[in-house]
Amino acid sequence: MQISEEKALSSLAALCSKGEHCVGELEDKMKRWGLEDDARQRIIDYLTSHQFVDEERYCRSFVNDKVKYDRWGRRKIEQALWMKRISPDVSSSILDAVPDADYLDALRPMLKAKWPTIKAKTDYERSMKLIKYAMGRGFELRLIRQCVDEATDMEEPDDEG
């Protein structure tokens, strides 16, 4: 599907005014539309200079949404941003600004809900499966251990009582 540079610019400007998008997504769209490299660059330059596209703003929004709503950990978010071709120069500082408490707020209820569904012969085996599950969601081991330790600390008084 070949479209003109003007049509591509107006379509992408309309798209960007409805929600946040990164340069990588727009590049992919323009490649599918069959636009030449120089036309793609002119469009990206225009959209960036007129603040339709801002990688840092996109990254902040993406990170916020993934932590709060999708309950992703830092590693999974980093990987997704890499797939979207967001520079680590942009993403690192934004990810560093997210406090551990935000990740823990996402992780705790997820682990609490998962705990009773895990089938295991011992608590150790169950903890290992829980850790593997949380790592698959992109959380860092130190945060996972903290949550698992809190959960087992809370269980012990119930067992004695």
Side-chain angles (χ1 to χ4, degrees), residues 18 24 38 44 47 59 80 94 104 107 109 135 148 150 155 158:
K18 293 176 188 168
D38 57 334
I44 292 297
L47 293 172
C59 190
I94 293 168
L104 291 169
L107 184 58
M135 288 186 84
V148 170
E150 288 171 6
E155 274 183 16
D158 293 345

Side-chain angles (χ1 to χ4, degrees), residues 1-129:
M1 166 178 156
Q2 179 75 34
I3 68 171
S4 70
E5 186 174 337
E6 295 78 23
K7 174 75 174 145
L9 177 60
S10 68
S11 295
L12 293 176
L15 179 72
C16 291
S17 59
K18 293 176 188 168
E20 291 295 336
H21 294 277
C22 65
V23 171
E25 292 172 352
L26 303 180
E27 286 271 351
D28 292 343
K29 272 193 183 304
M30 290 187 287
K31 282 179 187 172
R32 284 195 306 274
W33 293 341
L35 286 170
E36 297 294 321
D37 289 348
D38 57 334
R40 288 198 313 258
Q41 191 56 54
R42 281 192 299 273
I43 291 171
I44 292 297
D45 290 344
Y46 177 87
L47 293 172
T48 303
S49 67
H50 288 82
Q51 298 179 341
F52 283 97
V53 178
D54 182 334
E55 295 283 270
E56 191 171 315
R57 187 178 66 213
Y58 172 82
C59 190
R60 283 186 203 291
S61 172
F62 185 86
V63 169
N64 181 57
D65 288 355
K66 294 305 174 188
V67 172
K68 287 190 177 157
Y69 304 116
D70 295 338
R71 295 183 180 169
W72 285 11
R74 180 183 173 121
R75 299 291 170 235
K76 188 168 182 171
I77 296 170
E78 282 175 334
Q79 186 174 18
L81 290 170
W82 179 81
M83 294 288 290
K84 291 179 175 290
R85 299 188 298 277
I86 302 291
S87 166
D89 298 338
V90 173
S91 64
S92 295
S93 61
I94 293 168
L95 284 163
D96 290 343
V98 177
D100 284 351
D102 288 0
Y103 291 118
L104 291 169
D105 289 346
L107 184 58
R108 280 186 185 110
M110 192 170 60
L111 294 181
K112 187 176 182 178
K114 186 71 176 170
W115 181 262
T117 68
I118 296 175
K119 294 182 178 21
K121 292 183 172 111
T122 65
D123 279 347
Y124 175 77
E125 184 182 346
R126 181 180 280 183
S127 292
M128 290 301 109
K129 287 183 177 184

Side-chain angles (χ1 to χ4, degrees), residues 138-149:
F139 289 93
E140 297 176 75
L141 185 58
R142 65 184 178 78
L143 297 176
I144 299 167
R145 289 288 337 161
Q146 184 178 336
C147 287
V148 170
D149 291 346

